[in-house]
Amino acid sequence: MRTPPFNLHLPTTVSEAVQISAELRAEGRETDWIAGGTDLLPNYKWHLNTKSDVISLARIEGITSVSMTEIGAMARLSEIADGGEAHPLIAAAARKVASSLIRNSATLGGNICLDTRCFWFNQGEDWRSSIDWCLKCDCGTGADCRVIVNQNELCVATYQADLAPNLMVLGAAIHLAGPEGERSLPICEFFKLDGMTRNVLREGEMVVKVTLPDEVGQWQGEYQKLRLRESWDFPEAGVAAAWRLGGDGTLAELKVATTALESIPRLHDQEVAPIIAAGWSGEESITALAKAIQQTVKPVNNTAFPPNYRKKMTRVMCERALAQLSIN
Amino acid sequence: MAADEHVSMIPAASKVGWSAEVNGRGFGDEIESGAILLDVLRDQVGTLGVKRGCDMGTCGCCTVIIDGVARLSCLTLAGEAEGCEITTVEGLATGHHLAPIQEMFSECGGSQCGFCTPGFLLTSAALLAKNDSPSDSEVKSAIDGNLCRCTGYQQIVESIQAAAEILRSDAKSKDGTAAQMDPHPGLGAGDAGE
């Protein structure tokens, strides 16, 4: 299916990008940002919520840097994965995203802001027309959600990106720029539990960069990803864990986050806290934590694998991610 | 068609001037503002070796090399590739001499029906330009975005390794002034690629 026509804008600075977006919206036109295009363009080709104007961030200078404590929104995933500059956990997670060809185009900002996915939504136009559309792309018909029917309020499309949970466990902050100026917030507060709103980005606001705390080098971690085809697919479930060991080699801090199980990635501090409070006992604690996290996540039936399997695998992957802590 | 009922009318996109260096030659034309590079290469530049497979970034048949990096042309905006050096499969051979990677794909059975071959050739060419002695696992992860439904990939990996070997021995014994034998003597070198 051919991409519907749109006007492309190629600003060279962040302020120019924000200004173009504001001007277009003042004229009553709708805009989308495009970073690497590996998520937006397939959606456009399927005629999913297309806009008349698209603002490319590709020419903007100064937002492609990769270092231990700062990654620009337009840093390519291939650079993050193989450049040797990013935190090892972020690099390993980036390496697990899609294929090498996709990673050559895909970016950090695009990955964080990935549109939520659902097998009632990510389909061709004729297919969606045959089921009378769905809430996320209702084409003006007021269609209901096809996954959880008769509610017509909440989109439960799944957030299937890999980097966000890893950034969460490392305590990252996300920096935004928009018509009302710049702001930054912890990445945990960036996401909104609705498959359509997805995050706190306001109209005309864009992601500029992600920063990590100075002491991030002391943190180690592991990311486990469940997918259909090892070399290519979106995560069906993902567990990121990061920890810091104290001077005596015992566990000092632990963070666990999951992705691809709900409309947002989620940090599991609530499940981790009681286990740590009870005293870390290696394997036993891991089993208890993995079980607690399995019980918290609420996948729905809208991706390739059934929700029960994804839930069970969340426990398994949690145990695998934490295996290195089993001796402590 | 059902599509007429709900797709909001989007005004026709504006046309913009576009130029790039495709296979070593400058190309300039007017394109639609939001045009996809794959469409421009096939419909305007005329490099039909760039294949439209899935058009969604899954199959890798549309791979081209943009400024040294293998990219999916179906997911690249032409506007973003403006002024870049673009290599398609047509640009791999030197005159009538196939590039080592092409030579070896034909030698080792790396190509069967051939539809995915341009994509594989460019992905491998980009890999070999950076790394002329890749391990098998490096080769496999480099081609993980290209699908082939004929070969089962084994011959493709062998072809790439064979080409890497040629490149390594070329690098050792390269004498830029040595005459190469023309594989198609009757054709004359001047009209290559016309």
Side-chain angles (χ1 to χ4, degrees):
Chain A
M1 199 178 281
R2 287 291 171 112
T3 324
F6 57 82
N7 295 306
L8 179 68
H9 304 268
L10 288 154
T12 53
T13 63
V14 172
S15 54
E16 192 191 346
V18 169
Q19 193 191 341
I20 290 176
S21 163
E23 282 169 8
L24 289 169
R25 277 177 301 108
E27 286 173 33
R29 283 146 78 174
E30 288 186 302
T31 62
D32 256 331
W33 303 112
I34 186 165
T38 53
D39 182 42
L40 189 85
L41 290 177
N43 285 352
Y44 268 43
K45 289 180 186 198
W46 270 338
H47 296 190
L48 288 163
N49 299 329
T50 56
K51 309 280 164 64
S52 63
D53 290 80
V54 173
I55 305 168
S56 163
L57 310 180
R59 298 255 172 92
I60 297 183
E61 283 167 21
I63 55 170
T64 58
S65 65
V66 182
S67 75
M68 198 72 158
T69 53
E70 185 177 315
I71 307 177
M74 281 301 287
R76 306 277 169 191
L77 295 188
S78 52
E79 181 62 29
I80 298 172
D82 306 317
E85 299 289 333
H87 188 283
L89 178 63
I90 305 293
R95 217 168 288 130
K96 288 183 178 172
V97 177
S99 66
S100 58
L101 286 170
I102 299 264
R103 290 194 294 275
N104 283 346
S105 294
T107 63
L108 172 86
N111 191 271
I112 293 172
C113 299
L114 193 82
D115 198 1
T116 52
R117 303 176 59 80
C118 173
F119 61 43
W120 301 93
F121 171 73
N122 295 94
Q123 300 284 353
E125 196 170 38
D126 293 344
W127 193 101
R128 286 180 292 119
S129 144
S130 77
I131 59 148
D132 278 338
W133 320 107
C134 81
L135 182 62
K136 188 162 160 72
C137 185
D138 67 0
C139 300
T141 60
D144 198 0
C145 174
R146 302 290 153 197
V147 184
I148 299 176
V149 288
N150 298 326
Q151 44 117 357
N152 219 0
E153 271 170 10
L154 185 72
C155 169
V156 293
T158 306
Y159 179 79
Q160 288 186 284
D162 294 297
L163 293 184
N166 292 283
L167 292 165
M168 281 176 161
V169 293
L170 293 177
I174 189 162
H175 301 258
L176 317 172
E180 289 141 45
E182 295 177 10
R183 61 178 176 138
S184 39
L185 60 158
I187 197 159
C188 308
E189 293 167 20
F190 179 69
F191 299 95
K192 260 190 179 169
L193 188 61
D194 174 25
M196 286 159 76
T197 324
R198 291 163 21 219
N199 52 45
V200 302
L201 280 179
R202 298 175 189 143
E203 288 256 302
E205 203 172 33
M206 60 173 272
V207 177
V208 178
K209 65 180 177 188
V210 161
T211 53
L212 295 149
D214 290 337
E215 64 281 4
V216 73
Q218 299 167 19
W219 287 73
Q220 303 167 50
E222 170 69 25
Y223 177 58
Q224 290 281 328
K225 173 173 179 175
L226 173 72
R227 50 182 161 175
L228 201 55
R229 292 162 294 184
E230 199 57 33
S231 67
W232 207 82
D233 277 307
F234 285 97
E236 290 287 322
V239 177
W243 55 86
R244 189 173 61 79
L245 300 179
D248 53 355
T250 56
L251 184 64
E253 272 184 276
L254 175 66
K255 300 260 177 195
V256 180
T258 53
T259 188
L261 293 159
E262 281 175 85
S263 293
I264 51 168
R266 207 182 266 283
L267 188 65
H268 293 282
D269 278 354
Q270 264 188 344
E271 289 71 40
V272 173
I275 307 259
I276 296 283
W280 188 259
S281 60
E283 212 154 312
E284 231 167 80
S285 303
I286 294 173
T287 313
L289 179 56
K291 210 170 262 176
I293 289 174
Q294 178 189 3
Q295 282 164 1
T296 331
V297 298
K298 298 184 187 74
V300 293
N301 190 17
N302 65 354
T303 65
F305 289 150
N308 268 343
Y309 177 60
R310 286 156 65 205
K311 213 169 159 159
K312 277 182 194 159
M313 281 306 287
T314 303
R315 177 177 55 78
V316 175
M317 290 193 299
C318 201
E319 287 172 352
R320 286 177 187 163
L322 296 171
Q324 286 181 51
L325 294 177
S326 62
I327 316 132
N328 267 308
Chain B
M1 197 183 135
D4 300 332
E5 292 164 17
H6 64 275
V7 175
S8 58
M9 288 296 291
I10 300 169
S14 47
K15 292 256 184 183
V16 291
W18 185 81
S19 62
E21 199 175 306
V22 183
N23 298 328
R25 284 175 193 211
F27 173 87
D29 200 355
E30 278 213 322
I31 62 163
E32 271 187 20
S33 171
I36 305 289
L37 183 61
L38 171 65
D39 298 331
V40 173
L41 287 174
R42 284 187 65 86
D43 302 342
Q44 290 179 263
V45 183
T47 47
L48 297 178
V50 190
K51 298 299 177 202
R52 186 192 306 279
C54 65
D55 213 11
M56 288 278 168
T58 311
C59 72
C61 292
C62 65
T63 307
V64 296
I65 298 178
I66 304 175
D67 287 346
V69 182
R71 300 276 291 269
L72 295 160
S73 63
C74 73
L75 297 186
T76 302
L77 291 169
E80 291 181 353
E82 177 158 27
C84 293
E85 276 180 35
I86 301 169
T87 306
T88 70
V89 72
E90 288 90 343
L92 283 179
T94 315
H96 299 303
H97 295 273
L98 291 178
I101 187 73
Q102 293 172 298
E103 203 67 81
M104 287 304 107
F105 261 68
S106 102
E107 191 92 350
C108 307
S111 174
Q112 284 184 26
C113 89
F115 193 83
C116 70
T117 308
F120 270 102
L121 289 171
L122 289 156
T123 309
S124 347
L127 166 74
L128 295 177
K130 271 191 281 182
N131 177 4
D132 69 2
S133 38
S135 65
D136 274 2
S137 76
E138 280 173 323
V139 169
K140 284 177 188 167
S141 64
I143 59 171
D144 65 5
N146 295 81
L147 294 182
C148 172
R149 288 294 177 249
C150 302
T151 62
Y153 303 101
Q154 191 50 46
Q155 296 94 318
I156 291 176
V157 175
E158 283 163 17
S159 310
I160 298 171
Q161 289 295 15
E165 211 175 312
I166 294 180
L167 291 174
R168 287 196 298 273
S169 62
D170 267 11
K172 258 191 264 164
S173 65
K174 194 76 187 175
D175 172 6
T177 58
Q180 282 184 303
M181 203 170 49
D182 189 340
H184 307 288
L187 291 170
D191 57 4
E194 293 291 335

